[in-house]
Amino acid sequence: MNSLPDGYRAVVVGASGAIGSALVQALQADPRCASVQGLSRHGDPVLDLCEEASIATAAERLRAGGPVHLLLCATGVLQVDGRAPEKRLAELDAATMARALAVNAVGPALLIKHFHGLLPLRERALLGVLSARVGSIGDNRLGGWYSYRASKAALNMLLRTAAVEVARQRPLAVLAALHPGTVRSPLSAPIIGGAAAEAASPADAARRLLSVLDALPAEGASGSFHAWDGAPVPW
């Protein structure tokens, strides 16, 4: 991460997941990274995106360590309680939709609420959240996957809106939504089936995502949506 100050501090939320753990490992291997803190429901401190109190407590505990230059939210749910993504309107279920929105959109928004104050005021900082191309309204040509699409579209709007506010006090911070592509993970396994061999490994996905974030310009990039190869994704 050459665009960040030498000795930068990183935090990865969702560190127990496939991409999250790969991001932690990639950052641990970066000699310019002074420390990387992985957070999850199974860590210490515990951070559960569906429990705002745990988010606030984790942020407060990390505050004593100094500013965070890189914050990554590598969380998400595709199947809720074993339900495959809906293909038809007849399959919509209110509880399933609410859960998808809570995990994929509301949780990351609350994370930004409590953690953006840890970003430095006058140094470059990066905040990335895992979105998905299917959350693009403009790119939706196939339909289906109602809850997942809607929750990721909501995440994109929340991220873009937060970027406007964060910029008022932290003009060097860049917030971005990231599409990791198809990655071999427990989340994608029930969906990709025989295409698993063509999917990226978590390590490759982590490397690509960090490269995309690192290359984002200081001006004009905050609140943007990019794919794993750096290409912008339409809203």
Side-chain angles (χ1 to χ4, degrees):
M1 303 296 290
N2 293 321
S3 71
L4 294 177
D6 193 18
Y8 70 89
R9 185 174 175 226
V11 173
V12 178
V13 177
S16 61
I19 297 178
S21 60
L23 286 167
V24 170
Q25 293 174 21
L27 292 166
Q28 288 173 335
D30 184 355
R32 301 185 72 256
C33 181
S35 69
V36 53
Q37 172 75 56
L39 299 173
S40 72
R41 290 175 295 171
H42 312 293
D44 181 23
V46 172
L47 191 153
D48 186 336
L49 288 184
C50 291
E51 297 289 342
E52 183 175 2
S54 75
I55 301 173
T57 298
E60 195 57 37
R61 284 186 57 177
L62 292 177
R63 190 178 305 278
V68 172
H69 295 87
L70 177 61
L71 174 61
L72 300 168
C73 183
T75 62
V77 61
L78 177 58
Q79 295 196 9
V80 177
D81 297 330
R83 287 176 173 265
E86 314 95 335
K87 295 181 179 179
R88 300 179 298 120
L89 283 167
E91 297 173 359
L92 292 184
D93 172 77
T96 299
M97 296 183 76
R99 178 65 178 174
L101 284 164
V103 175
N104 292 336
V106 177
L110 293 174
L111 181 76
I112 297 173
K113 169 187 173 180
H114 290 284
F115 274 69
H116 81 276
L118 301 181
L119 303 178
L121 288 170
R122 297 176 182 84
E123 290 182 299
R124 177 171 169 86
L126 299 169
L127 189 160
V129 299
L130 288 193
S131 185
R133 187 181 294 276
V134 296
S136 165
I137 295 174
D139 193 53
N140 184 359
R141 298 177 179 84
L142 298 177
W145 288 35
Y146 287 87
S147 297
Y148 190 66
R149 286 185 185 276
S151 62
K152 290 298 187 179
L155 171 64
N156 292 345
M157 176 58 82
L158 290 163
L159 182 285
R160 187 168 177 86
T161 304
V164 174
E165 180 176 346
V166 171
R168 294 172 185 148
Q169 289 189 325
R170 291 167 170 81
L172 299 181
V174 177
L175 283 64
L178 303 169
H179 166 57
T182 304
V183 181
R184 294 193 295 274
S185 71
L187 181 145
S188 65
I191 303 299
I192 62 178
E198 301 174 5
S201 69
D204 283 341
R207 176 181 53 80
R208 293 168 178 173
L209 293 173
L210 290 173
S211 178
V212 170
L213 275 176
D214 204 23
L216 292 178
E219 296 184 6
S222 195
S224 57
F225 185 14
H226 296 270
W228 58 269
D229 59 357
V233 181
W235 296 113

